[in-house]
Amino acid sequence: MPNHPTLASVAADLDAGRTTARKLVEECLAKIADPAGEGARAFIHVDKDAAIAAADAMDHLRKANAAPSPYAGIPVSIKDLFDIKGQVTRAGSRALEDSAPAEADAPVVARLRRAGFIVIGRTNMTEFAYSGIGINPHYGTPKSVFNRGVGHVPGGSSSGAAVSIADRMAHGALGTDTGGSCRIPAAYNGIVGYKPTQRRVPLDGGVPLSSSLDSFGPLARSVGCCAVLDAVLADEAVQPLQPRAVKGMRLAVPTTIALDDLDDEVAKTFERALATLSRQGASIERIEVPEFHDVGVMNSKGGFAAAESYAWHRYLLTSKGDVYDPRVRVRILRGESISAADYIDIVGARRAFIARTEKRIAPYDALVLPTTSNTPPVIADLADDQAFARQNLRSLRNCTLINMLDGCAISLPAHREGDMPVGLMLAAAGGSDRRIFELAAGMEDIIRV
């Protein structure tokens, strides 16, 4: 994001004494509290007192040359899906309001704290993470950063996470991604969102949507920011990110499904980015990926998300189903009709899908495709359930392909400043995380020209 601070620039300011953790936290709190802003809808809970206390502690540690990392004292937001010690994890729902407070931080939250990041608050989300749109009837819907006077959806399910970054209410955000929930809101708000290889980041301490597809990842203002946060979440050393030269990149554009039914603005922006990369020396090949047709078959009855969410929710639905968002409840209930045999079939089909698709894309550095087929819809246009369902599927479609692949992927802003936000996604097979970050770092400043 032009002229917006990155983790690297904020860390440099802290190190040089140009700012303090206390000042950073107070600035974020002021943004959240601004009545003209989206803070009241982007956050479900703000940790004001604890954040200020933690900031003062980090400032004292830095003065003593004992800061736990260069990023100590930088405020981050946490999606309401994660456990934070002493707080109730609502997962954007009213059904969990009377749950006991968490006894411990989720491992990913603990890792952020261990690096000195400061938890500024819990961000709003689609109830139980079950939508790519980001509407929440319980806690309100934060508007996308684009054209606030009209009111576009923020993307889901990590809606408040993305808005907290776009509006400088936090400098990094912890989200989740089951079918695009980090990448979609990133695309709709002109920021960067990352879905890691699932096995790299522990899923304990988070309310599950689909244990087969869930992954925990960051949203931030740059590729470098996401790389730092990803390393912390995965408990890996933060290594300097070396951008890959665009010249010589081998990129494949999947023409199967991923380019169908694109909004004009998405198609135009995507093709302009490809042309720019090509002029800079990238080798771009359009390829058929017939395996992508298998994803629709696997999801025809609701897939992993319906089956696995129903298993988790079935008793809560019996006692509190009336307080669920009806659009979420109906999707979870699809899992009731999925038999054990159906589920076993999906597991086997996915295993075969991954093997065949990985073989097909192996010659390339990455797949490149639009993050979503649509631009962020206007909130008022989705009052009708059919309109909502159609746009929700369009938001999720491309990202879901990568979750089913058990891959890793990043969404980069590809639009020009002031235009409708459009995301460009780079994706690869699982375990290719570092390569994706290097490729993305090499092109992030180029594709918006």
Side-chain angles (χ1 to χ4, degrees):
M1 299 179 69
N3 304 318
H4 281 259
T6 62
L7 291 182
S9 69
V10 176
D13 287 345
L14 284 166
D15 183 60
R18 290 188 292 267
T19 191
T20 64
R22 176 71 177 250
K23 184 178 179 184
L24 292 172
V25 165
E26 288 179 342
E27 287 171 348
C28 289
L29 290 172
K31 292 281 187 182
I32 295 169
D34 182 356
E38 293 297 307
R41 288 166 291 280
F43 283 82
I44 287 177
H45 174 75
V46 180
D47 241 355
K48 180 179 178 179
D49 293 341
I52 291 173
D56 288 342
M58 290 302 155
D59 284 334
H60 285 304
L61 286 171
R62 183 165 272 105
K63 286 179 182 177
N65 295 317
S69 86
Y71 311 100
I74 297 179
V76 296
S77 66
I78 306 295
K79 188 175 182 177
D80 190 45
L81 184 136
F82 294 98
D83 286 346
I84 297 175
K85 185 178 180 179
Q87 298 181 16
V88 174
T89 305
R90 295 176 176 84
S93 178
R94 297 289 185 189
L96 298 179
E97 280 187 314
D98 58 358
S99 299
E103 295 182 0
D105 287 341
V108 283
V109 175
R111 289 174 179 182
L112 288 167
R113 288 198 203 269
R114 194 168 67 215
F117 287 101
I118 294 174
V119 174
I120 199 81
R122 308 178 70 93
T123 51
N124 199 357
M125 56 181 284
T126 304
E127 184 182 46
F128 294 118
Y130 216 150
S131 160
I133 292 294
I135 288 175
N136 187 305
H138 310 299
Y139 299 100
T141 300
K143 297 174 184 175
S144 161
V145 71
F146 178 74
N147 201 355
R148 287 252 163 90
V150 173
H152 295 258
V153 301
S157 63
S158 307
S159 53
V163 174
S164 76
I165 298 302
D167 283 8
R168 296 177 67 166
M169 296 183 278
H171 292 280
L174 176 59
T176 67
D177 194 307
T178 306
S181 288
C182 283
R183 291 161 289 160
I184 298 164
Y188 285 177
N189 285 278
I191 63 171
V192 181
Y194 188 67
K195 178 237 174 292
T197 302
Q198 187 195 47
R199 60 184 174 270
R200 292 181 52 248
V201 181
L203 300 180
D204 307 309
V207 176
L209 172 55
S210 166
S211 58
S212 295
L213 304 176
D214 291 344
S215 52
F216 296 167
L219 299 91
R221 298 190 188 104
S222 73
V223 174
C225 294
C226 280
V228 168
L229 292 167
D230 171 76
V232 172
L233 298 176
D235 202 21
E236 299 170 356
V238 177
Q239 303 283 356
L241 183 59
Q242 298 297 327
R244 187 86 65 95
V246 172
K247 186 175 182 179
M249 286 185 185
R250 298 165 300 161
L251 305 173
V253 178
T255 58
T256 309
I257 295 178
L259 302 184
D260 294 348
D261 190 28
L262 300 182
D263 280 0
D264 289 345
E265 195 70 22
V266 173
K268 181 179 72 175
T269 302
F270 181 66
E271 292 298 333
R272 185 181 70 224
L274 292 181
T276 301
L277 291 169
S278 182
R279 284 196 304 273
Q280 294 285 335
S283 171
I284 299 175
E285 185 177 345
R286 295 174 188 261
I287 66 169
E288 289 286 335
V289 186
E291 293 80 9
F292 280 173
H293 289 297
D294 297 350
V295 174
V297 177
M298 287 185 274
N299 286 336
S300 60
K301 295 182 179 180
F304 286 114
E308 293 171 350
S309 66
Y310 179 72
W312 193 89
H313 284 271
R314 64 191 188 277
Y315 301 118
L316 189 62
L317 279 167
T318 300
S319 60
K320 295 189 176 179
D322 59 323
V323 300
Y324 277 58
D325 177 353
R327 288 170 169 172
V328 170
R329 184 178 64 239
V330 71
R331 299 182 77 197
I332 294 172
L333 284 172
R334 293 185 72 191
E336 188 174 18
S337 62
I338 298 175
S339 69
D342 291 332
Y343 184 82
I344 291 168
D345 285 346
I346 299 170
V347 171
R350 185 192 187 203
R351 190 180 301 118
F353 164 76
I354 291 171
R356 295 197 317 274
T357 308
E358 285 186 346
K359 184 177 180 180
R360 187 174 299 278
I361 68 176
Y364 306 97
D365 291 324
L367 296 177
V368 57
L369 58 160
T371 306
T372 63
S373 66
N374 56 0
T375 54
V378 175
I379 295 171
D381 291 345
L382 303 183
D384 175 76
D385 284 347
Q386 286 187 327
F388 173 89
R390 179 173 184 273
Q391 293 295 351
N392 185 50
L393 287 173
R394 295 184 68 212
S395 71
L396 290 162
R397 186 194 68 199
N398 286 3
C399 288
T400 297
L401 299 172
I402 310 306
N403 292 80
M404 291 297 286
L405 179 60
D406 196 20
C408 53
I410 196 165
S411 178
L412 305 174
H415 59 287
R416 290 171 173 158
E417 190 73 13
D419 287 351
M420 178 78 80
V422 173
L424 178 143
M425 178 164 51
L426 286 176
S432 308
D433 301 75
R434 193 65 183 176
R435 184 171 81 239
I436 288 295
F437 278 125
E438 291 171 353
L439 293 165
M443 68 172 66
E444 70 178 320
D445 293 332
I446 292 172
I447 59 174
R448 304 182 76 175
V449 174

